[in-house]
Amino acid sequence: MNILIGENIVYKLKEYLKAKKVNRLYIITDENVSRLYIYGLKDIVKDFSINIYTLKPGEESKSMATILSIYDDLIKNNVDRNTIILSFGGGVVGDIAGFVAATYKRGLKYIQIPTTLLAQVDSSVGGKVGIDYNGYKNIIGSFYFPEMTIIDLEFLKTLSSREITCGLGEVLKCGLIYDYKFFQSTIDNLDNIYNKRLDILLGIIKKSIGIKKEVVSKDRYDIGMRRILNFGHTIGHGIEAYYNFNKYNHGEAVILGMIYESYIAYKMGLIDSPYFNEIYHGLKKLMAPVRFNDGEIRNLIHIMKNDKKNFDDNIVFVLPVLRGKVELCKNVDERLIVESLEGEWI
Ligand SMILES: NC(=O)c1ccc[n+]([C@@H]2O[C@H](COP(=O)([O-])OP(=O)(O)OC[C@H]3O[C@@H](n4cnc5c(N)ncnc54)[C@H](O)[C@@H]3O)[C@@H](O)[C@H]2O)c1
Ligand SMILES: [Zn+2]
């Protein structure tokens, strides 16, 4: 994985393209990122021939309809295999651009320039690309690694607090699955993070990427250890899908998922009450858990049963077992899942 990271480094794209003798770029972005940054980017790549495809922002764009529309545009513009796809935006743009790059003409090279905290710490690293289908999140996709990822912290300056929370979900997850001190120091630094102190954010992004890279390098294709990255995602994905991906964004849902799943681990005796409380009170600073009613819980469990992480019919969880350590768990009693979501304990 080739990653450049720093402040004001996006201009290095030009050097990279020149060194690789690229002459054509197909840029995929969304309307928000385009409004803020496309002029700057166009200036950097003005020596190259470019096409730009601009998506509507948001998870709803991560659909087959979008993919087909991009294929049509690629064909219309005679885009050939020597063209580089450039993903310029958050995780939605990255997952779509990567999927297009993986499939169009059996694969084009692609570069990621992630512009959200979530994309910088997580989705631009690890090679997972894909789309949602029929209400199921990321159900269609592949593994396809970018040639290069350029992480420029300047882009973070225009993010809303909500988008920062979203990225922090994955950052805090890295701490809980791999490095508990990192979880604690991130919680201690929340004010600085929300105030966009780029020096602090640089350290946090580097650390999160380091953890993700290490986990992914041991299991590129997600058949073993990599599954620990799904902590918080079993319930998190359920919550996202239940609300049709428009009430909670991904990172917010993951934070909620980590809270409920930690409660399950606590009730199973995998972690003790002091540790559960540390996780709960830390994460609650970012997202308050909610109580779901019976009907909502039934639907949530139905969605979770269709999660791609499952073996047979068992819902698979990644649960905390020690500070900074999690394990895969396939036999969680459904009554405990219900109890966690009922939230009497909140
Ligand atoms: N492939 C992976 O490994 C992986 C990992 C985690 C998440 N994801 C996926 O990532 C997606 C979520 O990514 P996201 O949170 O980046 O969402 P997103 O791409 O929808 O971006 C969030 C919002 O921020 C806007 N935005 C982007 N950059 C901005 C900037 N610099 N300033 C101001 N606004 C900006 C976008 O237009 C959008 O409205 C989900 O679809 C999730 O499934 C993928
Ligand atoms: Zn995630």
Side-chain angles (χ1 to χ4, degrees):
M1 278 180 253
N2 209 347
I3 300 176
L4 277 181
I5 172 163
E7 287 173 45
N8 280 315
I9 55 157
V10 64
Y11 72 89
K12 294 200 172 174
L13 173 66
K14 181 173 165 180
E15 293 162 25
Y16 180 82
L17 296 173
K18 286 222 155 113
K20 295 278 171 187
K21 301 199 165 34
V22 174
N23 47 33
R24 188 163 177 201
L25 274 181
Y26 187 90
I27 301 168
I28 302 179
T29 187
D30 76 18
E31 287 167 2
N32 294 333
V33 178
S34 171
R35 186 168 30 81
L36 292 161
Y37 298 113
I38 205 72
Y39 287 109
L41 184 73
K42 274 183 174 168
D43 194 45
I44 292 167
V45 297
K46 62 177 182 292
D47 300 341
F48 306 88
S49 153
I50 61 166
N51 294 87
I52 302 176
Y53 189 100
T54 308
L55 307 166
K56 290 232 167 301
E59 187 75 29
E60 300 78 49
S61 282
K62 236 174 88 171
S63 67
M64 192 53 95
T66 302
I67 297 292
L68 296 179
S69 157
I70 297 175
Y71 290 153
D72 286 341
D73 192 60
L74 289 162
I75 293 166
K76 190 177 91 197
N77 286 293
N78 288 320
V79 170
D80 61 22
R81 297 195 75 238
N82 296 320
T83 304
I84 290 224
I85 304 267
L86 176 63
S87 160
F88 187 46
V92 166
V93 169
D95 282 6
I96 292 171
F99 187 79
V100 166
T103 48
Y104 180 72
K105 295 204 170 172
R106 296 195 187 86
L108 263 55
K109 291 182 172 162
Y110 82 113
I111 296 174
Q112 292 257 21
I113 302 184
T115 60
T116 62
L117 181 60
L118 178 123
Q120 296 195 346
V121 296
D122 192 7
S123 60
S124 65
V125 188
K128 282 191 179 179
V129 301
I131 53 167
D132 309 326
Y133 183 68
N134 227 355
Y136 296 110
K137 179 116 176 114
N138 300 329
I139 191 99
I140 297 177
S142 187
F143 291 91
Y144 199 63
F145 289 81
E147 291 294 300
M148 163 72 114
T149 299
I150 300 178
I151 297 178
D152 191 328
L153 277 86
E154 281 296 310
F155 294 122
L156 303 180
K157 286 186 176 164
T158 48
L159 286 184
S160 64
S161 294
R162 194 168 175 205
E163 295 307 335
I164 297 284
T165 303
C166 183
L168 280 176
E170 304 285 2
V171 168
L172 292 164
K173 177 198 76 182
C174 286
L176 289 173
I177 64 172
Y178 215 74
D179 184 339
Y180 189 63
K181 276 200 188 125
F182 178 48
F183 173 80
Q184 283 176 311
S185 65
T186 307
I187 293 286
D188 291 344
N189 258 314
L190 287 180
D191 285 347
N192 287 328
I193 295 169
Y194 281 101
N195 287 327
K196 318 254 179 70
R197 276 269 306 271
L198 295 191
D199 55 334
I200 303 272
L201 278 159
L202 181 64
I204 283 173
I205 294 168
K206 280 187 172 163
K207 182 83 192 170
S208 305
I209 290 178
I211 292 173
K212 180 149 185 189
K213 269 174 87 171
E214 195 166 326
V215 173
V216 170
S217 70
K218 289 180 182 154
D219 177 21
R220 259 167 95 90
Y221 296 109
D222 203 4
I223 46 172
M225 170 166 181
R226 185 168 175 165
R227 288 166 170 250
I228 69 171
L229 293 168
N230 285 324
F231 175 44
H233 284 61
T234 304
I235 291 185
H237 277 169
I239 293 175
E240 262 187 298
Y242 177 72
Y243 290 107
N244 286 322
F245 305 104
N246 55 30
K247 177 161 180 179
Y248 296 105
N249 61 31
H250 180 71
E252 290 173 332
V254 169
I255 295 172
L256 291 176
M258 290 192 289
I259 296 177
Y260 296 111
E261 292 176 14
S262 298
Y263 177 81
I264 291 172
Y266 163 53
K267 291 300 278 188
M268 288 174 73
L270 300 174
I271 58 173
D272 58 16
S273 123
Y275 184 35
F276 169 65
N277 279 311
E278 282 168 44
I279 298 177
Y280 179 39
H281 291 291
L283 295 178
K284 213 168 67 166
K285 293 183 178 163
L286 293 100
M287 285 294 295
V290 289
R291 295 179 175 182
F292 292 97
N293 66 34
D294 289 353
E296 291 169 330
I297 293 173
R298 249 195 318 277
N299 277 318
L300 278 164
I301 290 182
H302 175 76
I303 294 169
M304 282 182 239
K305 283 194 168 155
N306 285 289
D307 194 292
K308 64 187 181 326
K309 292 184 288 300
N310 296 333
F311 300 99
D312 308 326
D313 239 4
N314 281 340
I315 303 176
V316 176
F317 283 90
V318 175
L319 298 177
V321 290
L322 287 172
R323 283 176 178 74
K325 192 167 170 7
V326 290
E327 273 172 15
L328 221 66
C329 199
K330 295 173 204 159
N331 45 7
V332 175
D333 188 336
E334 199 165 309
R335 279 171 304 182
L336 268 186
I337 308 173
V338 172
E339 187 183 320
S340 76
L341 294 165
E342 281 171 346
E344 297 280 329
W345 48 275
I346 290 169

